[in-house]
Amino acid sequence: MSPFLIALLYLTARYVHVVAATFLVGGTLFYEMVVPMAIDDLRPEQQLVVFARARLIFTWIVWISCAMMLVSGVVASQEHWDFYNPPEQQAQPRFNWGRLPGYWQEWGTSRPTSRPQHMHPQRPPRPLPPEEVFVGHSGLWWAAHASSGLLSLIIAFGLTLGKAPHPSSVRWMRINLAILLLVMFLASATRQARLAEEQHRMTMQQVEGRG
Amino acid sequence: MEIGLIILSRWLHLLSAAVAVGGFFFAWLVLPAGLAILQPADREAVLLQTRRRFKPFVHSAILLLIITGIYNTMLNWGKYKLNPPLLHPIWGTHVLLAVAAFCVAFYVLAGRSLRTNHRLLMAINLTLLIAAIAAASTLKWAREKTVAEHSTPIVEMR
């Protein structure tokens, strides 16, 4: 694929990811905080019908947004995978699932005080400026963002299943809104950590090039 | 401390955009579908109530977008100077689209009664906001690309 098409793909993925997130977060906030107060004057049976009809349309928005976020999230992660999973970390031996019984046996008999090196690969120490240590490794932020994002998508998807809303759906919607806000915060932190690492790599390359 | 402020600023910018875009999308497409079964008088009353409840969210979001937008611009202004012919037009497009969307938002939410063409105005506002997000995404991509291409010496070797 040509570099132009790749750049266009990454740009579109980022755009789609943000737009889908705004639909999901803003729609949830509107559905949960604005609509109930706005229909307060209607009769209870009218309120139920309005809620049910709005939910039907919102279900499609949630499903499409979830699908768009998953696909665009995978593409965006692939774009920055080199930062989230650096080459020096990839060079380390990985966990061997085939040897899992052996690991278990070893754990049961010898009770090691620390996990074997091949189960917990260590990155070689890379000096970071003190002001950037707070941000840390972008891969960890990415993992937190991706896992919490997946959890929120599963909750959102689960809330739209079935013909009638679950009695505790309002409470779950509030919980999901809080998780979505956390996911957005983790996205910002991931980006900041990645930019700090990018800056650090460039600095180190320049130092090595001149040395 | 500064890094925390940068992350917080970006988070608030995204959150405000989400409130505005998602809210207008819901008000434009989802809510009217839900209210279609009501009598016109009831429907208008609910829409007016919705507008009244939605207004503080939108006004707060606009205020936060302006404050965090200025802060983000100040942080990145040095990077924008690296390639002005590319970055300044995209930044300008983003800001112009956002300002136009704010104006439409203020207009559609102002007054005691609904605008006769309020759904059309909401659709226009949503389009402007989504175009502003597209400009922001392009700006971020172009800015990172420009910074990566400019290998200005950061650490001087003695």
Side-chain angles (χ1 to χ4, degrees):
Chain A
M1 197 185 283
S2 73
F4 173 75
L5 284 178
I6 291 172
L8 192 67
L9 177 72
Y10 288 151
L11 189 60
T12 310
R14 183 176 298 168
Y15 170 68
V16 166
H17 204 72
V18 174
V19 170
T22 59
F23 283 178
L24 207 56
V25 176
T28 306
L29 192 127
F30 198 97
Y31 192 73
E32 199 251 313
M33 288 187 161
V34 177
V35 176
M37 289 191 284
I39 61 172
D40 211 24
D41 294 336
L42 294 177
R43 292 193 304 275
E45 60 270 20
Q46 282 182 317
Q47 287 183 16
L48 283 176
V49 174
V50 169
F51 250 120
R53 286 178 65 96
R55 183 175 175 268
L56 192 69
I57 308 286
F58 193 52
T59 296
W60 281 105
I61 293 164
V62 169
W63 287 4
I64 293 169
S65 294
C66 284
M68 279 162 55
M69 289 194 80
L70 279 175
V71 174
S72 60
V74 169
V75 174
S77 298
Q78 201 271 333
E79 181 186 3
H80 303 298
W81 194 245
D82 187 37
F83 286 96
Y84 303 146
N85 190 21
E88 60 264 28
Q89 197 170 21
Q90 291 171 23
Q92 294 287 328
R94 286 164 184 263
F95 182 84
N96 187 352
W97 288 101
R99 280 201 61 216
L100 188 61
Y103 293 143
W104 181 251
Q105 201 175 15
E106 185 186 351
W107 179 262
T109 52
S110 60
R111 293 274 177 195
T113 51
S114 62
R115 299 169 82 189
Q117 181 65 25
H118 48 261
M119 288 178 73
H120 194 173
Q122 296 287 321
R123 276 195 311 148
R126 291 189 304 131
L128 275 172
E131 68 272 15
E132 290 170 7
V133 171
F134 164 75
V135 181
H137 177 34
S138 60
L140 295 176
W141 288 106
W142 171 84
H145 168 70
S147 54
S148 56
L150 200 60
L151 176 69
S152 71
L153 292 187
I154 290 169
I155 294 174
F157 190 74
L159 283 171
T160 57
L161 292 177
K163 286 191 176 176
H166 194 265
S168 61
S169 58
V170 173
R171 193 178 59 197
W172 275 105
M173 205 178 261
R174 283 181 190 159
I175 292 170
N176 201 32
L177 190 61
I179 297 174
L180 281 168
L181 298 187
L182 177 72
V183 172
M184 285 172 72
F185 178 80
L186 290 171
S188 301
T190 307
R191 176 181 170 270
Q192 194 59 37
R194 181 172 51 76
L195 288 180
E197 283 188 6
E198 199 172 326
Q199 185 71 57
H200 182 65
R201 276 188 197 184
M202 281 166 61
T203 309
M204 295 300 279
Q205 279 171 4
Q206 283 161 17
V207 169
E208 284 163 10
R210 282 158 179 259
Chain B
M1 179 62 190
E2 198 194 336
I3 289 179
L5 198 61
I6 294 169
I7 295 172
L8 183 71
S9 162
R10 186 172 157 73
W11 178 62
L12 285 174
H13 203 76
L14 277 174
L15 176 62
S16 308
V19 169
V21 175
F24 271 107
F25 184 72
F26 203 103
W28 168 63
L29 191 70
V30 182
L31 192 63
L35 301 176
I37 52 140
L38 296 179
Q39 296 296 321
D42 287 341
R43 196 184 311 153
E44 191 168 330
V46 172
L47 284 174
L48 272 172
Q49 277 289 331
T50 308
R51 208 181 64 150
R52 225 184 78 196
R53 302 290 179 184
F54 187 42
K55 203 185 286 188
F57 285 100
V58 174
H59 287 181
S60 309
I62 288 175
L63 182 67
L64 280 172
L65 280 170
I66 291 170
I67 292 170
T68 54
I70 290 171
Y71 180 69
N72 291 344
T73 299
M74 281 166 62
L75 279 177
N76 291 305
W77 198 247
K79 293 173 188 169
Y80 294 150
K81 282 182 180 173
L82 291 174
N83 191 359
L86 174 69
L87 296 173
H88 283 207
I90 308 176
W91 177 84
T93 307
H94 172 63
V95 172
L96 277 176
L97 285 167
V99 169
F102 296 163
C103 292
V104 176
F106 281 132
Y107 179 74
V108 79
L109 294 174
R112 286 172 182 270
S113 58
L114 288 171
R115 306 274 176 201
T116 47
N117 51 354
H118 71 277
R119 276 198 76 186
L120 175 68
L121 287 169
M122 282 191 181
I124 290 170
N125 198 31
L126 190 66
T127 310
L128 286 170
L129 284 168
I130 289 176
I133 293 176
S137 299
T138 313
L139 179 63
K140 184 171 166 279
W141 172 79
R143 192 177 63 212
E144 287 182 10
K145 191 169 171 284
T146 303
V147 170
E149 281 171 357
H150 276 73
S151 55
T152 48
I154 298 164
V155 176
E156 290 294 329
M157 297 298 288
R158 291 173 191 273

